Amino acid sequence: AQTVTQSQPEMSVQEAETVTLSCTYDTSESDYYLFWYKQPPSRQMILVIRQEAYKQQNATENRFSVNFQKAAKSFSLKISDSQLGDAAMYFCAYSHGANSKLTFGKGITLSVRP
Amino acid sequence: GAGVSQTPSNKVTEKGKYVELRCDPISGHTALYWYRQSLGQGPEFLIYFQGTGAADDSGLPNDRFFAVRPEGSVSTLKIQRTERGDSAVYLCASSLGAGNEQFFGPGTRLTVL
């Protein structure tokens, strides 16, 4: 079975600074997708960034980028120029196969200090 | 256009009662997913619909849980004989099909007293 591990329960970053959130996963598949989702207090999950395992190039979306290390099964999220609105729970997730159901990690609470 | 909506936003019930949670997906989305998020945890998959049929219900915890999507649009998650351990946020997501981005609703917070 696939598992996603986020070992840091909380992190804090100063506004305008950079922070990296860690995630590791376990799978025997070679073709899969990895995601980072943001969940603010409103509870609505918002997709931040997505990475296809067959792509060697790390995905980037504006201030958000990933460091995807397939051999190490590591998938970290870097947030540059942190903003107060970035404060939320962040979940790493994995999907594979025909139904694309998501397997989530436990999440990390990110706080941003003004 | 409208996103995924879920009703009610909050539901409080007593142990042993029956509850129904509703999900309205984005129009045209054929894939629909239900997840359950317990306090301090990430969401856990419950069931996946492709059109009207449940293509994967492997995440349903037991036979007290059942979901339907009779016309391939709105879905209802039904929980019989609720238990305190069922208390959680129930999230619904929809997508254009498997492999496409899943768009989530705001969830229903279920509290079983």
Side-chain angles (χ1 to χ4, degrees), chain A residues 48-108:
Chain A
V48 174
I49 199 163
R50 161 182 163 144
Q51 174 80 43
E52 291 90 341
Y54 65 87
K55 289 188 177 179
Q56 293 186 337
Q57 187 171 5
N58 290 323
T60 299
E61 288 287 342
N62 301 313
R63 297 183 296 108
F64 300 88
S65 62
V66 299
N67 184 3
F68 173 47
Q69 301 290 328
K70 191 172 184 178
K73 294 189 171 68
S74 171
F75 183 62
S76 61
L77 174 69
K78 185 171 82 171
I79 307 174
S80 304
D81 185 25
S82 297
Q83 301 176 359
L84 295 177
D86 294 335
M89 285 282 291
Y90 285 81
F91 292 93
C92 179
Y94 163 102
S95 79
H96 161 76
N99 65 14
S100 297
K101 65 184 179 185
L102 294 165
T103 300
F104 288 87
K106 291 182 67 172
I108 179 171

Side-chain angles (χ1 to χ4, degrees), chain A residues 37 39 42-45 47 50 91 98-102 104-106, chain B residues 9 33 35 37 42-43 45 48 56 58 98-99 101-102 104 106-107:
Chain A
Y37 279 88
Q39 187 178 42
S42 67
R43 297 196 307 241
Q44 190 133 14
M45 284 280 192
L47 179 64
R50 161 182 163 144
F91 292 93
N99 65 14
S100 297
K101 65 184 179 185
L102 294 165
F104 288 87
K106 291 182 67 172
Chain B
S9 59
Y33 304 80
Y35 296 86
Q37 186 176 17
F45 169 78
Y48 157 65
D56 183 351
S58 62
E101 178 182 350
Q102 294 183 29
F104 282 81

Side-chain angles (χ1 to χ4, degrees), chain B residues 9-24:
Chain B
S9 59
N10 291 283
K11 175 70 176 179
V12 180
T13 190
E14 294 179 343
K15 180 185 173 190
K17 298 291 188 182
Y18 168 83
V19 296
E20 290 188 350
L21 312 180
R22 177 186 168 108
C23 172
D24 279 88

